[in-house]
Amino acid sequence: MKRYSTGALSLTRRSILKYGAAAGAISFAPGFASRVFAQDREKTLVIAAPATPLSLDVENSLSPATIDTVAAFYDYLIEFDTIPDAVEGVMREDLEPNPSLPGGYNLKSMLAESWEFAPDGKYVKFKLREGVLSNWGNELTAEDVKYTFDRKFEVKGAGAFMTFVMGLPDKDAVKAADKYVVSFTLKDPNPILMIVCGHLANPIFDSTKCKEMSTEDDPWARRFLDTNVAGFGPYDLKEITRGQQMVAVSRPDYYGDKPYFETVVFREVPASATRLQLLQGGAVDIAHNLSPTEMKSLAGNPTATVTSVEASQMLWIELNTACPPRDNIKVRQALNYAMPKQEIVDTILQGFGKKMTTFMPDFYPGATAEYYDYDYDIDKAKALLAEAGFADGFSSVLAYNAGIPFEETIAIMYQTALKKIGVDIELKKLPAGTFFDALVKRSEPMTFNLDAPFTPDPGFALNLYFHSGSFLDFSNYKNEEVDRLIKASLSTLVEEDRFAATKEAQKIINDEAPWTLIANPGFQLAHAKDIGGIVYYTSNRLNFQDYKRV
């Protein structure tokens, strides 16, 4: 096997597996590791990602790497069934509402083998599978589900939003009715209760292990679950060293279909150019989060390719409506008309994705672009600024995430466009950790955001970003009628009424423009050509258990 040496290590797939962090930190010579030993490769999936998980507990973090790894270790009560994607060989979740089915969607069992959804939308009962074991060997019971939701109420992390959007008034709403039966009782109808049970942030914990690891000052085992797992998923955690790698191993006692890959190595490789070289050289199977230009460079590559599908991911700029002059609707509209969306898609995004025309993923049920009218138009932008009393423009600051390379390029293009309407923008490059802190604190007047609502429902999506009480309302947007319409959409099972409410809310939001829309970048996976089994999820995550060699 040909080897290219840099320093003390031979740069092969085997050296990556053996030396871990040391191998990943090195600069790689072009064309290294053209062949690998079959015993290294066949049942081991190697992923090069920008970072390791900040936490393995969804209540502590929903960092990108947490999103990519948590579903390997935890299962959920239910999940969406899948259908073929428009891209050959790819599957995706079936998001089409079906009022004839319990819960209104085409769902399939995971930890719950069956369920009963009350006609009034206020009650659901799950019958759990029997004999399901956690990675610690403890059997799944209704007490695990009860513990999971009690923990959400007490820890008040991401679970606080989950319990709110599910309509759970308090801990007593979730009851262990029998050893294998758990029920949820609501005060008001909730049309999305069932599908939110399958949300990435709602995994079921092994309560026996969690209670064992709890302490007086940490009653919900947060420290333990930060770097360990206690779940019922197909993989167990072998190792996690933050800043280096995480290793998962498949569980022989898993109740469901056994994953093809017995070992998954999730390596931290911060430089995307290095991740690309690792993929080209055959040292890794997946190079995650490459830049559009890097992905384009794989065209015609004999061993690697890019699979690109329509996705829920959205890219926009938060316009802080609490900071003048962004409190003026006409100013916000002008900032939208000055965004060269199509040029960004064609050049910076290299044709991946499409311009953004809706305030939620446009393929979600109930999404509409009927009111969109924000194509690039400098003259209209100038006129709106003049009407708003800013004919001479103004100055502002635009913060962007240094961890997402194309944000800087887009920011520069937008800065140039805004100069044409007299708006002088100072660009503020923030490291990833600092950036997310600024986003959450809403401390900047204009801030990039790249995100997606994981539950494919218009009421959920609008509630997440535009309800004045939402923790993700980073634009400080407040409209009492929008709040009312969102609440109405989440309080009735009548689909026609729900979609009428969200359509009217979308019209108001479009007119008041709390975001500057940019693009729907899509979901791209750069991978070795012998990797198949790709399934797209609205959480835009990797799913180790789906992948196989083909």
Side-chain angles (χ1 to χ4, degrees):
M1 177 169 57
K2 190 174 183 180
R3 297 169 183 251
Y4 295 80
S5 294
T6 303
L9 289 178
S10 297
L11 301 178
T12 65
R13 182 184 180 93
R14 175 159 286 186
S15 70
I16 292 273
L17 297 176
K18 181 177 180 181
Y19 295 104
I26 295 172
S27 299
F28 296 97
F32 76 96
S34 59
R35 296 178 61 242
V36 296
F37 290 125
Q39 61 265 37
D40 280 346
R41 192 170 196 278
E42 181 61 29
K43 292 293 185 175
T44 299
L45 179 71
V46 184
I47 300 168
T52 46
L54 291 179
S55 174
L56 294 174
D57 182 359
V58 293
E59 301 299 343
N60 289 344
S61 170
L62 280 174
S63 71
T66 303
I67 291 169
D68 282 330
T69 56
V70 69
F73 307 115
Y74 292 93
D75 270 1
Y76 300 77
L77 290 172
I78 50 87
E79 63 179 341
F80 282 100
D81 206 348
T82 55
I83 56 175
D85 186 77
V87 176
E88 185 177 357
V90 178
M91 302 293 287
R92 65 186 300 122
E93 293 167 304
D94 181 2
L95 308 181
E96 190 66 29
N98 188 338
S100 68
L101 297 174
Y105 286 86
N106 186 17
L107 305 173
K108 64 180 182 178
S109 64
M110 289 192 84
L111 297 178
E113 66 179 11
S114 62
W115 49 90
E116 297 175 15
F117 189 72
D120 65 2
K122 297 182 182 180
Y123 177 84
V124 63
K125 180 173 70 175
F126 293 99
K127 169 61 172 65
L128 304 179
R129 294 178 185 270
E130 298 182 22
V132 173
L133 300 179
S134 77
N135 61 306
W136 295 100
N138 299 313
E139 187 187 9
L140 171 73
T141 70
E143 291 298 334
D144 295 308
V145 181
K146 171 65 175 167
Y147 172 90
T148 295
F149 283 89
D150 282 356
R151 187 173 188 267
K152 291 181 184 297
F153 278 102
E154 294 295 335
V155 171
K156 297 180 173 62
F161 176 77
M162 289 293 109
T163 54
F164 169 75
V165 80
M166 292 173 74
L168 300 175
D170 50 45
K171 290 191 292 185
D172 291 338
V174 182
K175 293 187 182 299
D178 201 345
K179 185 176 182 179
Y180 303 110
V181 177
V182 64
S183 65
F184 294 73
T185 303
L186 314 180
K187 291 181 178 179
D188 300 305
N190 190 319
I192 63 171
L193 173 62
M194 286 290 296
I195 59 175
V196 177
C197 284
H199 190 284
L200 185 76
N202 284 330
I204 303 303
F205 291 99
D206 171 1
S207 62
T208 302
K209 184 63 179 180
C210 292
K211 290 175 182 178
E212 176 189 331
M213 302 308 298
S214 66
T215 62
E216 186 175 345
D217 67 335
D218 184 19
W220 298 98
R222 296 188 73 170
R223 286 193 295 271
F224 173 74
L225 291 172
D226 193 46
T227 54
N228 295 275
V229 297
F232 301 92
Y235 284 91
D236 195 3
L237 179 67
K238 181 179 180 181
E239 166 198 341
I240 182 167
T241 305
R242 289 203 182 111
Q244 297 182 17
Q245 70 178 12
M246 184 201 77
V247 179
V249 292
S250 64
R251 292 177 48 207
D253 59 348
Y254 180 60
Y255 70 93
D257 293 337
K258 304 300 185 289
Y260 179 90
F261 287 106
E262 296 169 357
T263 303
V264 179
V265 180
F266 192 88
R267 290 282 307 114
E268 178 167 326
V269 183
S272 63
T274 305
R275 296 196 297 275
L276 174 64
Q277 286 182 307
L278 286 167
L279 178 63
Q280 291 172 323
V284 304
D285 299 297
I286 293 173
H288 204 26
N289 289 343
L290 299 182
S291 72
T293 302
E294 289 166 339
M295 290 188 289
K296 277 291 185 181
S297 74
L298 291 173
N301 188 286
T303 59
T305 189
V306 175
T307 296
S308 180
V309 300
E310 182 178 44
S312 61
Q313 200 86 286
M314 304 180 293
L315 176 67
W316 72 93
I317 293 173
E318 302 276 3
L319 302 177
N320 194 333
T321 62
C323 297
R326 279 152 299 277
D327 56 344
N328 188 304
I329 291 175
K330 291 185 183 296
V331 168
R332 300 199 299 266
Q333 291 174 339
L335 294 174
N336 265 281
Y337 282 114
M339 176 63 74
K341 303 175 188 65
Q342 193 60 53
E343 185 180 0
I344 287 168
V345 171
D346 293 341
T347 59
I348 297 174
L349 298 184
Q350 295 286 301
F352 290 113
K354 59 188 176 183
K355 70 180 181 183
M356 187 173 170
T357 61
T358 57
F359 288 80
M360 68 176 78
D362 62 0
F363 61 90
Y364 277 14
T368 178
E370 178 180 342
Y371 309 112
Y372 170 81
D373 182 29
Y374 288 122
D375 282 345
Y376 184 61
D377 191 328
I378 289 296
D379 291 338
K380 189 172 285 189
K382 286 180 179 178
L384 283 165
L385 280 187
E387 290 176 26
F390 294 92
D392 295 328
F394 59 89
S395 299
S396 190
V397 174
L398 172 58
Y400 64 93
N401 186 351
I404 303 176
F406 61 68
E407 284 193 8
E408 181 171 55
T409 317
I410 292 173
I412 293 170
M413 182 179 286
Y414 190 39
Q415 180 187 48
T416 301
L418 287 174
K419 286 180 180 178
K420 297 177 183 178
I421 63 172
V423 176
D424 184 21
I425 293 292
E426 174 191 345
L427 301 184
K428 191 171 184 178
K429 185 176 184 177
L430 298 176
T434 307
F435 172 83
F436 286 111
D437 186 58
L439 186 64
V440 171
K441 290 181 177 177
R442 311 174 194 188
S443 57
E444 301 293 342
M446 299 170 66
T447 313
F448 271 83
N449 202 349
L450 179 66
D451 197 18
F454 294 171
T455 296
D457 178 82
F460 179 95
L462 296 179
N463 186 70
L464 189 65
Y465 299 119
F466 301 109
H467 192 284
S468 60
S470 173
F471 73 110
L472 289 184
D473 177 24
F474 297 140
S475 61
N476 285 308
Y477 178 68
K478 292 178 175 60
N479 184 298
E480 290 184 0
E481 179 62 7
V482 168
D483 285 355
R484 186 192 69 79
L485 289 165
I486 291 172
K487 183 177 180 180
S489 77
L490 295 173
S491 304
T492 177
L493 302 186
V494 181
E495 186 175 295
E496 183 179 350
D497 294 344
R498 295 187 62 233
F499 288 175
T502 55
K503 184 176 182 180
E504 181 61 24
Q506 288 174 83
K507 181 181 187 303
I508 297 170
I509 293 165
N510 184 85
D511 291 344
E512 298 192 344
W515 294 357
T516 294
L517 305 179
I518 305 177
N520 301 108
F523 177 83
Q524 290 84 36
L525 189 69
H527 59 92
K529 285 187 174 180
D530 68 346
I531 295 295
I534 298 170
V535 181
Y536 171 71
Y537 299 89
T538 55
S539 56
N540 299 285
R541 70 178 187 264
L542 303 180
N543 214 53
F544 308 159
Q545 54 267 45
D546 291 332
Y547 303 136
K548 59 185 178 181
R549 294 213 185 274
V550 293

